[in-house]
Amino acid sequence: MRVARTLFLSLLPLLAASTLASGMATVTLRGVNGASAEVAMHGAHVISFTPDDKSKPVIYTSPTAKFDSASAIRGGIPICFPQFGPRGALPAHGFSRKSDDWTLVSTDADLEEKNGSPAKAEFRLADTEATRASAWPHPFEALYQVSICDGALRTSFKVTNKGEEDFTFTCALHTYFACGSLNAAVIGLKGSSYEVDRVY
């Protein structure tokens, strides 16, 4: 069983590891003209994206966001998996957005643009003793990719069932967009199922 969702925004690549002032490890993709995207290892959470050095951030992260291993980061692109909202027996939005078990599986060869190929950071989350003891005890592998190429930030999420029994789940790449006013529009969802959440 697998699910994928893609978000397109904008740029071209290079990747570097860094650390926030809080001590939280991050991976930064950098593009031409000052474009950048930063991903926290905690929750494999995109916390910022700016399309170029003349633009304001497109992804919103709350100034009150907590960058610690016990908290979900408020804003950015949290990964809600294996449960979106209160639609199951797990705490709201599941365990992946607060997990420190995500690993970076990209290699140096993946981090450089070559012949038009994107720079990308791929993150992996698999079942652990803690997840198998939870209300969602299934063996799984989740792969999350963040890439930059040709003026676009792209994210994709894939779940693979590693067990013998079927399972169900809900998930969302719960994107927080930075808006200068309430006169905002989201396009490209025609024919898709979606749900409107709170607006801050």
Side-chain angles (χ1 to χ4, degrees):
M1 178 172 274
R2 70 184 234 187
V3 67
R5 157 104 193 254
T6 306
L7 167 72
F8 295 94
L9 294 173
S10 113
L11 49 195
L12 281 170
L14 186 95
L15 187 135
S18 62
T19 305
L20 294 173
S22 67
M24 184 175 285
T26 64
V27 173
T28 303
L29 290 147
R30 297 194 189 282
V32 296
N33 300 323
S36 65
E38 189 167 19
V39 185
M41 289 300 300
H42 176 70
H45 192 125
V46 175
I47 56 174
S48 70
F49 170 64
T50 304
D52 57 52
D53 58 6
K54 296 181 176 109
S55 298
K56 293 181 179 180
V58 176
I59 299 296
Y60 173 80
T61 297
S62 172
T64 62
K66 294 179 183 173
F67 296 96
D68 62 58
S69 62
S71 303
I73 299 169
R74 184 173 186 183
I77 308 177
I79 302 170
C80 304
F81 170 80
Q83 176 182 304
F84 180 66
R87 293 169 178 79
L90 293 170
H93 296 323
F95 50 71
S96 66
R97 69 188 180 127
K98 292 193 245 183
S99 177
D100 285 322
D101 292 320
W102 286 95
T103 57
L104 182 64
V105 295
S106 301
T107 65
D108 289 343
D110 296 324
L111 306 181
E112 298 176 23
E113 181 181 22
K114 292 181 186 149
N115 303 320
S117 296
K120 61 185 173 186
E122 187 168 58
F123 303 87
R124 177 182 181 270
L125 180 67
D127 56 286
T128 64
E129 187 174 320
T131 66
R132 289 186 299 272
S134 75
W136 197 82
H138 309 289
F140 73 94
E141 176 184 67
L143 295 174
Y144 180 53
Q145 188 176 96
V146 179
S147 63
I148 296 175
C149 188
D150 295 331
L153 170 70
R154 180 180 176 143
T155 60
S156 66
F157 186 68
K158 175 184 171 182
V159 176
T160 303
N161 184 344
K162 293 294 196 174
E164 299 298 318
E165 297 180 18
D166 291 345
F167 60 69
T168 61
F169 63 90
T170 56
C171 90
L173 300 180
H174 198 314
T175 308
Y176 290 70
F177 293 103
C179 299
S181 73
L182 295 178
N183 297 322
V186 177
I187 59 173
L189 298 176
K190 186 175 182 177
S192 299
S193 296
Y194 63 92
E195 180 177 314
V196 176
D197 201 358
R198 295 179 304 261
V199 176
Y200 296 99

